Structure formats: structure tokens, C-alpha cells
Amino acid sequence: MLRKWMGMVLPAFLILFVNATDVFAAEETKRLWKDESIYYLVVDRFFNGDLSNDFTVNTKDELSYHGGDFQGVSKKLDYIQTMGFTTIRLGVIFDQYTYSRSGAETIDFYKPEEHYGTLNEFKQLVKEAHKREIKVIIDFPLTISPEHPWVNDSAKQNRFIIEDGNESNQENNQSVTSPKLNMSDPETAQYVSEAAIWWLQKTNIDGYFFSQVDQIPESFWSGLIKKINSENKDLYIVGELSEKASGNLQAYKNIGFTSLFVPSTTLKLRDSFKTPNQPLTKLTQDDGERDSAYLIKSMDGPSFSRFTNDIVAANQFPGDRWEPSLTYLFTTPGVPMVDYGSEIAITGDNPMMDFRADPDLIEFIEKLGRARNHYLSLTRGDFTLLYENKGMEVYTRSYKNETTFIALNNTSKKQEIIIPADKLGSKKQLIGLINNDLIKEQNGNYSLSINGEESEIYIVRDDRGINMLNAIVIIVIPIVFLILYFYIWKRGKRTGN
């Protein structure tokens, strides 16, 4: 009887105390948009999981298919999850006349590109992602191929507009000419809305990414988003907005967009991080002037060459420049979006992913991902800048009773920083989540030492000296085991007699 009781009580006792000592346990709550982190990948360039669909593949031609497919993405979901990403953004997956990253060659909005796989394989990809609590959003182009059936149909000429060098379609940094859907035409708007609803119903995806939304009438967006939300009010509707229209963010938020991505912000980020010793003041000022938690932040994007190219061109080591830039993305207001391959500092514009690369940067992203997913202050918290000097920046994120403290050194030299206790509160301890650093108050100050081009994220806790709960666990658990051992030994001796 006692053995049975111990068998039930001891595991419960251990779980109780182990959970109680996990002072970093995050609040259980429904995930919001601002809690997400996005991994953006081009299916064809990610991973080849099915050789049977490799017809017309030419890996030596950057304008040809390279073999990546839905099965390849499915096989690498654990890899994406381990880095901590919570949402996957897939580049255009619709059927194309010829290879196109932007969707400029779309010929069928109801069929997946055959080089990527079947509709059932895509549905399985979404299902497997959801098992891992990863959401999936897909790019929805509002352009069609010059070979689309509508182009040569005299009755459908009102459904599209041909613009030379349409800026919304960039292939390897070159403008291309493709018909743009005329969303002012009721029949075209109805067609796009029905196609969007069809994909939601058939595949259970979690939303869409639309490019150049300010080139489309707001009436179309309000109608489309209303229909999409009638399917599922929790779906993500993300739009790309030009710098010219970025001053009107609130209007697009009122229409119903979950989030917006402004590519000009990416340019500002790249200028600040491609070389060390660049001030970050303007970036943090922008964070304070608009609702940055609503926006996507990224160092890369389909309209740009790779950030790593900029780093190499500036004669810098990619790993050293990526770490502070990623820290900024993951710890300041906004939703970080990381292009596939950035975790290995990939060069070139759109190459195949190399999964045998150096894991150092991947491990760094894993630490950032764990911290961001665990502490709501990093996603929902207020932003307070405590110190900034020529690239050395210290700030806090605070949410309810939780505070994280971030020290980001965007300079080439080691920095010694003193933060007065009245900025954080007295009798606190700063526990490092990246390098396991520990800082306590001394003489009314907190003294930091951060190496050049490095950073640290601290969780702020009350410094109560010896943690009594930990002490109890250390003392009590061995005693319980001794009692159990003694009981089993005595029973065994009694049975032997």
C-alpha cells in the first residue's frame, strides 16, 4: 500500500516542485499577431523532398526551377520549429507559366505549381505545420502571366492592366512586364475573393500576404477582408505598403489588415547594421512614433539583394553583423521576419538552401526564438530606451509584472555601461538568456560589460538572496528518496526472511 502511495505521490511531488522552480514559466494565453515570428521561404529554393517532380529543373540557371517542393518543406518543419519560428510565409505557390518568384507568371489561381507538388501534398504540409503549432500564410499575387487565357480573350480585357516595368514584380532585381489585375472591375474582384476563400476552405491555411496594397482600391480590401474574416476571424491578412503610403497606417489597420510590411524600413535597418558603429537612435525614434508592434521587420525581402551581400561588400564578417541585427528584430516592437538562408548568412539573391552550413548563427537564432516565445514582455511589452551612444543601446520591454532588459552592442569595441538602480528598481538581478550572464546591483548601480558586436537579453527578477524554494527542493527530494529506498529495502529484507 505504501509503495503504491509513494508511486503516485512522488512523481506529483517532483512535478510540483520542478514547475514551481521554473521562474521563467510564461503566462499561458492565446497567441496574438505581435507574438509571432515569421520564417519566409521560397518553396522552389528551400529543400528538394520529391525527385519525381523535377522536370525542367536547372540548378545552374537562376531563372529556372531548382527542385524545392512541398514535401521538402514538410521534411524541414522540425528544423524551422527548433529555431523558434511560429509562422511560415510561403512565396507564391500558384501555377506559373514559367518560373517566377513574384507570381508574375501566374496562370491558374486554383492550382498549385506542379513543380512544387499536388494540392494534397500542400494540405499535408499545412496539417504537419499545425501539429507543431506553426501557422502558414501564403503570398497571393495580383498579377497574371502574359500567357494567361484572359490576355488573349477579347471579353476579358477589362480584367487586367498592362504596365511596363510594374514595380510590384521583381525577378532577381530586374523589373518585368506583366498584366496587373484590375481590382476596380467587379468581376475580377469577385474572382480573386472566391479564389482566396477557396484556398482557405480547401487547405486550412492561416492567411495571406499581399504586395503593393496601396496600388489597389481600399474598397476592394475592405470587401475581401470582410469575406475572409467571415471564414475565420483569426486569419492573418498582411500587406506590403510603399513608403509614400506608410503615413496612413491607421487607415489600413481600420480596413482590417492584421499587419503591414514597409520595405523602406528594411533599408533603414540595413544601413544601421551592415557595418558597426552606426547609431540606432533613428530606428528607436521610429518605434516610438508609430504602432511598431503592428508592423513586420526584416533585413531582407524579395525586392532586395541579400543583406549578407551588403555585409560582404562592406568587408565585414557576416556572423558578427547578423547577431546584433537579429537581436534588434527579435527584441524591439514589431514582428520579425527572417528569410530562409539568413540563419546561415547565405549569399547570392535566391540560391538553394544549404543545410550543412555552420550552425553558430542557427544556434543564436534558437536562443532568440526561445526567449521571444517564452517572455511576453518581448512581444507585447512597452519599449523604454535607457541608453544609446553611437550604436551601444540599452532598453527594456515591460508587460504586466515582467521586465526584460536588452543590451545591444552595435559597435566594434567592448562597452562598459552603468545603469542607475532607479532605472530598473533596487535589489534586482539580471539573468542573461543568451550568454548566461548574471548582474546584481552594486552601490546603487547595475554594471554591464558587453563585447563588441554582441548582445544580451536579461530577465529582471527580484534579488532575494538564497532562493528558499530551490533550497527546499534540494533538501527535501533526497530525503524522500532515502525514505523510499529504506522502505523498499526493508520490504525486500522482510520478503527474504
Side-chain angles (χ1 to χ4, degrees):
M1 181 67 182
L2 181 59
R3 180 181 295 179
K4 182 178 180 180
W5 179 83
M6 290 293 289
M8 291 187 297
V9 172
L10 184 59
F13 176 84
L14 291 173
I15 291 172
L16 172 66
F17 277 92
V18 169
N19 286 344
T21 56
D22 182 12
V23 295
F24 305 140
E27 172 187 352
E28 289 188 13
T29 186
K30 180 181 177 180
R31 214 160 82 199
L32 304 178
W33 168 252
K34 61 181 67 177
D35 300 325
E36 304 290 350
S37 54
I38 304 170
Y39 188 76
Y40 168 58
L41 64 90
V42 178
V43 174
D44 181 69
R45 299 300 203 252
F46 188 60
F47 185 66
N48 193 342
D50 181 8
L51 298 179
S52 68
N53 55 31
D54 283 0
F55 42 89
T56 67
V57 164
N58 183 359
T59 57
K60 296 181 179 180
D61 182 0
E62 63 181 13
L63 296 180
S64 295
Y65 292 98
H66 285 195
D69 46 42
F70 298 141
Q71 289 195 44
V73 179
S74 294
K75 291 177 180 179
K76 293 297 182 179
L77 286 173
D78 288 339
Y79 167 81
I80 297 171
Q81 182 187 38
T82 299
M83 287 189 290
F85 292 102
T86 60
T87 295
I88 297 173
R89 173 192 165 194
L90 297 177
V92 179
I93 64 170
F94 301 155
D95 194 23
Q96 307 287 303
Y97 179 75
T98 187
Y99 177 73
S100 170
R101 184 177 63 182
S102 69
E105 291 289 342
T106 301
I107 57 173
D108 192 341
F109 286 89
Y110 284 89
K111 179 183 176 182
E113 168 52 47
E114 56 189 347
H115 286 86
Y116 301 167
T118 65
L119 182 63
N120 283 335
E121 288 170 341
F122 178 70
K123 290 165 67 174
Q124 186 63 29
L125 161 60
V126 176
K127 183 178 180 180
E128 290 299 321
H130 287 172
K131 285 181 181 179
R132 295 162 175 81
E133 298 186 347
I134 297 175
K135 296 182 182 295
V136 178
I137 63 176
I138 64 173
D139 283 17
F140 197 117
L142 295 179
T143 52
I144 55 176
S145 170
E147 304 299 327
H148 192 283
W150 290 356
V151 176
N152 296 315
D153 187 341
S154 60
K156 302 288 178 63
Q157 297 302 297
N158 62 326
R159 293 200 169 188
F160 59 88
I161 304 168
I162 295 181
E163 297 177 346
D164 291 340
N166 183 359
E167 288 185 1
S168 66
N169 300 312
Q170 300 284 331
E171 300 294 343
N172 299 292
N173 302 312
Q174 296 180 350
S175 295
V176 297
T177 300
S178 64
K180 178 180 174 182
L181 292 179
N182 179 15
M183 305 315 300
S184 297
D185 174 59
E187 291 183 346
T188 307
Q190 179 68 18
Y191 175 87
V192 170
S193 296
E194 289 176 353
I197 297 299
W198 185 87
W199 280 92
L200 294 175
Q201 293 175 338
K202 290 291 185 180
T203 67
N204 201 28
I205 56 174
D206 301 286
Y208 293 108
F209 186 102
F210 296 98
S211 297
Q212 298 297 314
V213 300
D214 51 302
Q215 295 183 13
I216 306 297
E218 292 183 10
S219 57
F220 166 74
W221 293 122
S222 59
L224 175 64
I225 292 173
K226 185 177 181 180
K227 291 176 182 178
I228 289 175
N229 286 339
S230 68
E231 289 292 316
N232 183 346
K233 62 181 178 62
D234 294 324
L235 292 170
Y236 293 153
I237 312 299
V238 182
E240 182 182 275
L241 202 64
S242 69
E243 174 67 18
K244 182 178 179 181
S246 64
N248 202 22
L249 292 176
Q250 189 59 47
Y252 287 97
K253 188 173 183 180
N254 293 340
I255 288 172
F257 279 95
T258 310
S259 179
L260 293 169
F261 171 57
V262 183
S264 58
T265 300
T266 295
L267 292 176
K268 295 175 185 177
L269 287 165
R270 290 162 74 117
D271 286 343
S272 298
F273 286 104
K274 66 182 178 182
T275 57
N277 306 308
Q278 299 298 316
L280 306 177
T281 309
K282 187 62 173 66
L283 294 179
T284 52
Q285 284 177 346
D286 288 345
D287 286 335
E289 292 173 359
R290 57 189 182 184
D291 187 5
S292 294
Y294 169 64
L295 301 176
I296 289 176
K297 290 180 176 178
S298 177
M299 304 303 297
D300 284 307
S303 300
F304 306 110
S305 64
R306 288 279 180 164
F307 177 47
T308 302
N309 294 351
D310 288 4
I311 297 172
V312 173
N315 296 316
Q316 300 294 315
F317 179 68
D320 288 345
R321 300 315 306 141
W322 266 111
E323 289 197 11
S325 62
L326 287 167
T327 300
Y328 191 89
L329 291 184
F330 277 73
T331 63
T332 54
V335 174
M337 180 168 67
V338 177
D339 282 30
Y340 84 98
S342 295
E343 69 271 26
I344 57 171
I346 206 167
T347 56
D349 291 332
N350 204 22
M352 283 290 284
M353 179 69 180
D354 181 2
F355 289 96
R356 297 168 297 177
D358 191 326
D360 288 351
L361 195 53
I362 295 175
E363 293 172 0
F364 183 75
I365 292 176
E366 289 175 3
K367 292 179 180 180
L368 290 176
R370 282 195 298 269
R372 182 178 170 85
N373 293 337
H374 206 78
Y375 298 104
L376 292 178
S377 56
L378 288 174
T379 60
R380 306 183 188 183
D382 297 332
F383 177 90
T384 302
L385 181 64
L386 300 182
Y387 178 89
E388 205 286 323
N389 184 25
K390 298 179 181 179
M392 179 64 214
E393 192 164 88
V394 178
Y395 49 92
T396 60
R397 302 291 306 277
S398 299
Y399 178 75
K400 295 185 177 180
N401 296 322
E402 178 184 284
T403 297
T404 41
F405 177 95
I406 299 91
L408 193 163
N409 188 354
N410 193 39
T411 78
S412 55
K413 297 181 179 180
K414 185 176 183 179
Q415 299 289 323
E416 306 284 346
I417 308 296
I418 296 178
I419 303 297
D422 58 11
K423 297 287 187 180
L424 285 174
S426 297
K427 298 181 179 179
K428 302 290 184 180
Q429 56 181 355
L430 312 181
I431 304 170
L433 305 177
I434 303 296
N435 300 309
N436 303 314
D437 196 11
L438 177 63
I439 297 173
K440 295 189 177 185
E441 179 188 354
Q442 292 184 340
N443 302 318
N445 295 306
Y446 297 95
S447 299
L448 313 177
S449 179
I450 305 294
N451 290 328
E453 301 180 271
E454 291 190 2
S455 55
E456 181 61 284
I457 303 172
Y458 300 92
I459 185 72
V460 180
R461 299 294 183 192
D462 290 335
D463 186 359
R464 297 192 179 96
I466 298 176
N467 188 315
M468 293 306 297
L469 189 55
N470 284 343
I472 291 171
V473 171
I474 292 171
I475 296 171
V476 172
I477 288 181
I479 293 174
V480 171
F481 273 110
L482 284 173
I483 294 172
L484 178 60
Y485 175 80
F486 178 76
Y487 169 76
I488 295 173
W489 173 78
K490 194 169 184 180
R491 281 291 300 268
K493 186 176 181 180
R494 191 178 300 164
T495 302
N497 291 337

